[in-house]
Amino acid sequence: MKKKLLVLFTTGAFVASFSVFHYEGTALAQAPPKGAPPGQLSEAAFKNIQVLKGIPVDEFMGTMGLFSAALTFCCKDCHTGAGTSTPKWEADPPRKIMARRMIQMVSNINRDNFNGRQVVTCWTCHRGTPSPAITPPIDTIYGDTVFTPADVLPTANTATAGTPPADQILDKYIQALGGPDALSKLTSYTAKGTSHLFGEVQEDPAEIAAKAPNQLATVVHQREGDVARVFDGRQGWVMLPLTVVGQYALNASMLEGARLDAQLAFPGGLKQFFTNWRVTYPSVVGGHPVYVLQGTGANGLIATFYFDRQTGLLTRMIRYTASAVGRVPTQIDYSDYRNVNGVMMAYKWTYGWISGQEEYTLSEVQPNVAVAAAKFAQPVQVIRPRP
């Protein structure tokens, strides 16, 4: 049985994060309001904000997603009328009141015991359940160990850990993709394929547009509206259908995360993206041994890369961005690399984030084609009626 979606999608559309807010809009079934402008703070965009003030909308939404993930809750578990045509987001049912108390409790614990560092989060105790476990079960004590890697991984001694230096791993990756010369000749591409949303039966059409050095637009035509992630080289946006916030701009580390995704569309410059690379201990992904590198970037961005030891190709990337209650993870798993104009490109990948998990499969890639600047403009939602 598939696990319940953490941040609900229904009939192919993202509904809303588990949250403690109310947007200054109308019914959920109507067209969503205009997207939040860059840097707009939560108390300006939403009503009845009492605790999570002073953070931009994208960080606020990431925070909601972490609540949802920690408790395996969706909107309707905590909000009055969520999932209906008349939600009362501004109402204060008991779980919203408790959520505010928990935010303050965790903040106080970190302030008083860890100098304000986010050591304790919702996930620390809840681990996917509304009621945290108190006593360790005997089966857990003597059962198989469930290993959960830390966000920040330890630095390995390459002389004793059996792993080469970061430069060698990254250089092998570039060579595995086709080499620096071939990568430099790929200046743009468009692609078409499908996206399969976790928990859904049917697939949705997907389109990709990319232009060097770091512009990327991914659009999925879901049945009730488009999902879009766009980075134009300087600014980024996320657009989702039937949400409380139909579209929002990216800021700080979340913007850096979008910049990294766009850089991976043209990975020849990946080595220069991070000024601080460190080698950590080898691991295994999908049964294949991998070398693991971690980079630290601007605005607190952390990204972990898993390179196949045999092929040198990237098999997984996990990036972490900041929020008020902990780091927000995004994981991309790559597979089915094929030669496109001398460059190896992944024809399949899984994009897992707090708003769902999408499995992409490409059917065609057109390299070095003209891509209109409008492809990377701030996206505009068109809501399609339910069948």
Side-chain angles (χ1 to χ4, degrees):
M1 176 181 289
K2 288 187 175 181
K3 187 178 180 180
K4 174 183 175 183
L5 285 176
L6 300 181
V7 184
L8 258 198
F9 283 84
T10 60
T11 59
F14 177 94
V15 176
S17 303
F18 163 71
S19 58
V20 287
F21 63 87
H22 169 67
Y23 191 79
E24 297 180 22
T26 53
L28 185 66
Q30 298 179 10
K34 293 182 179 180
Q40 185 182 31
L41 299 182
S42 58
E43 61 267 31
F46 311 118
K47 290 182 178 179
N48 200 14
I49 299 297
Q50 298 184 24
V51 177
L52 293 175
K53 296 181 178 181
I55 61 175
V57 170
D58 59 327
E59 183 180 338
F60 187 90
M61 297 299 287
T63 300
M64 300 303 103
L66 289 181
F67 291 164
S68 178
L71 282 76
T72 321
F73 272 179
C74 62
C75 330
K76 63 184 179 62
D77 291 315
C78 299
H79 287 291
T80 303
T84 71
S85 61
T86 56
K88 296 181 179 179
W89 304 107
E90 75 280 17
D92 280 335
R95 281 180 173 168
K96 272 183 62 178
I97 296 172
M98 178 60 72
R100 293 193 184 108
R101 291 176 57 191
M102 292 295 100
I103 295 169
Q104 293 171 321
M105 179 192 73
V106 169
S107 177
N108 291 339
I109 291 173
N110 287 322
R111 182 197 63 209
D112 296 341
N113 297 277
F114 302 105
N115 295 320
R117 293 183 295 120
Q118 290 177 323
V119 175
V120 174
T121 69
C122 308
W123 179 257
T124 303
C125 296
H126 282 278
R127 301 281 168 143
T129 178
S131 299
I134 298 172
T135 305
I138 294 297
D139 287 345
T140 299
I141 296 173
Y142 298 104
D144 294 334
T145 301
V146 178
F147 174 69
T148 302
D151 301 350
V152 180
L153 299 175
T155 300
N157 184 332
T158 57
T160 59
T163 182
D167 281 350
Q168 290 186 23
I169 296 173
L170 292 168
D171 289 343
K172 183 176 180 180
Y173 171 53
I174 296 302
Q175 289 299 328
L177 291 172
D181 185 57
L183 288 171
S184 67
K185 293 177 180 177
L186 181 66
T187 59
S188 68
Y189 61 87
T190 59
K192 294 182 179 180
T194 58
S195 170
H196 183 210
L197 184 66
F198 180 88
E200 288 291 309
V201 175
Q202 76 173 52
E203 298 174 334
D204 299 303
E207 299 178 17
I208 314 293
K211 187 175 181 179
N214 62 353
Q215 292 180 289
L216 178 65
T218 302
V219 180
V220 180
H221 302 292
Q222 292 186 356
R223 296 185 298 285
E224 294 171 322
D226 291 343
V227 170
R229 291 184 288 271
V230 179
F231 182 73
D232 70 357
R234 295 182 300 106
Q235 300 180 82
W237 303 270
V238 169
M239 181 174 73
L240 298 160
L242 300 185
T243 59
V244 178
V245 182
Q247 176 213 109
Y248 53 89
L250 300 178
N251 302 272
S253 60
M254 293 190 182
L255 181 62
E256 288 301 307
R259 190 188 308 275
L260 175 58
D261 291 352
Q263 181 67 77
L264 287 171
F266 300 94
L270 177 60
K271 183 187 289 188
Q272 292 74 38
F273 188 90
F274 293 104
T275 56
N276 179 21
W277 286 99
R278 60 183 174 277
V279 180
T280 186
Y281 293 91
S283 185
V284 175
V285 172
H288 296 277
V290 293
Y291 291 127
V292 185
L293 296 183
Q294 192 163 70
T296 303
N299 294 308
L301 176 69
I302 299 172
T304 309
F305 298 82
Y306 299 80
F307 298 95
D308 188 282
R309 292 181 64 170
Q310 181 176 0
T311 67
L313 293 170
L314 181 64
T315 60
R316 172 175 294 174
M317 185 275 289
I318 307 175
R319 58 175 172 83
Y320 301 91
T321 56
S323 84
V325 295
R327 296 187 182 98
V328 180
T330 297
Q331 177 173 313
I332 309 177
D333 288 275
Y334 303 91
S335 61
D336 192 16
Y337 280 87
R338 303 183 191 182
N339 191 313
V340 178
N341 209 37
V343 174
M344 298 298 291
M345 299 180 64
Y347 265 58
K348 292 183 179 180
W349 67 92
T350 300
Y351 191 98
W353 59 317
I354 58 168
S355 296
Q357 187 183 73
E358 306 148 27
E359 297 179 359
Y360 289 86
T361 301
L362 297 184
S363 56
E364 63 175 89
V365 178
Q366 299 293 328
N368 296 327
V369 294
V371 182
K375 290 287 186 181
F376 309 108
Q378 183 174 351
V380 177
Q381 185 62 269
V382 177
I383 299 297
R384 289 180 279 275
R386 296 182 180 183

